[in-house]
Amino acid sequence: MTQDELKALVAQAALAYVVPGTVVGVGTGSTVDHFIDALASMKDRIVGAVSSSDRSTERLRARGINVVDASSVERLAVYIDGADEIDHDGNMIKGGGAALTREKIVADLANDFICIADASKLVPVLGKFPLPVEVIPMAATQLARRFQRIGGQPTLRDGVVTDNGCHILDVRGLQITDPLASEIEINQWPGVVTVGIFARHRASVCLLGTSEGVKTMR
Ligand code: 5RP
């Protein structure tokens, strides 16, 4: 199976976690694009979706799914999203699609984060995938220097302006052995909007696409 077919497989499997009669939290990315397509088959059984990006909002609307403002929802049963890397405890690196801030906001509303990914995203230690960090443009250079001081090699993502009008630093060379501590530390550096470590909002369930089918990791 191709990587795209594996993504479609887990996207379909994620429908089992959607609670009928509720609003669903929806992430961003190519795996989520498949999920949105699958969700359309049950659009009349859900109230709608809270979206984590303009990209997902557009796709949801195109599939006839009601998009609900995050501020009108107190809690979500589930948030369904992809990841760039996942460790065996469900900690993730996210932000490859530059939507990490809104993804974390919507994930924070949800009781459960259901991660959908092809199995190549599973790693023993986070950090091979360059860590995305959304930053206030004014602080980008001083934050890049700060990442260099802890052994990272940051690059500014060329030409990218996020949905929030900010920039993305991609930081290579970090071995994230304590994801929670790193998330808390980096997130309080002045100028950081959101670091792409999802440990406080780690996945409750990971659906991993393999050539033998969907593997569920809890
Ligand atoms: C977007 C994300 C995505 O979930 C992540 O990049 C995975 O994307 P894909 O499903 O295309 O592999 O964090 O900001």
Side-chain angles (χ1 to χ4, degrees), residues 7 28-31 81-84 94-100 103 121:
K7 289 179 179 189
T28 300
S30 56
T31 317
D81 197 359
D84 299 303
K94 290 185 47 54
L100 64 166
E103 290 172 342
K121 306 279 182 77

Side-chain angles (χ1 to χ4, degrees), residues 25-157:
V26 174
T28 300
S30 56
T31 317
V32 167
D33 283 348
H34 285 295
F35 172 68
I36 293 171
D37 295 349
L39 188 63
S41 69
M42 58 180 294
K43 67 176 178 218
D44 297 331
R45 284 185 283 142
I46 57 170
V47 175
V50 172
S51 169
S52 61
S53 62
D54 293 345
R55 166 183 169 163
S56 288
T57 298
E58 200 179 306
R59 197 174 186 98
L60 285 158
R61 290 202 172 122
R63 302 292 177 276
I65 298 166
N66 181 31
V67 177
V68 175
D69 205 89
S71 56
S72 69
V73 173
E74 206 172 315
R75 292 300 295 164
L76 297 168
V78 290
Y79 174 69
I80 297 176
D81 197 359
D84 299 303
E85 274 188 353
I86 310 149
D87 73 12
H88 289 267
D89 295 318
N91 301 299
M92 295 167 285
I93 286 184
K94 290 185 47 54
L100 64 166
T101 297
R102 294 191 188 190
E103 290 172 342
K104 215 176 259 194
I105 291 169
V106 185
D108 191 57
L109 287 172
N111 296 338
D112 284 308
F113 188 133
I114 314 298
C115 177
I116 49 175
D118 68 272
S120 69
K121 306 279 182 77
L122 188 64
V123 295
V125 178
L126 300 179
K128 194 159 178 221
F129 189 91
L131 176 66
V133 185
E134 183 165 357
V135 300
I136 300 286
M138 174 193 174
T141 302
Q142 78 194 63
L143 284 167
R145 286 194 211 106
R146 199 158 178 172
F147 277 110
Q148 282 166 345
R149 287 201 292 275
I150 63 163
Q153 296 124 40
T155 49
L156 193 64
R157 202 178 294 180

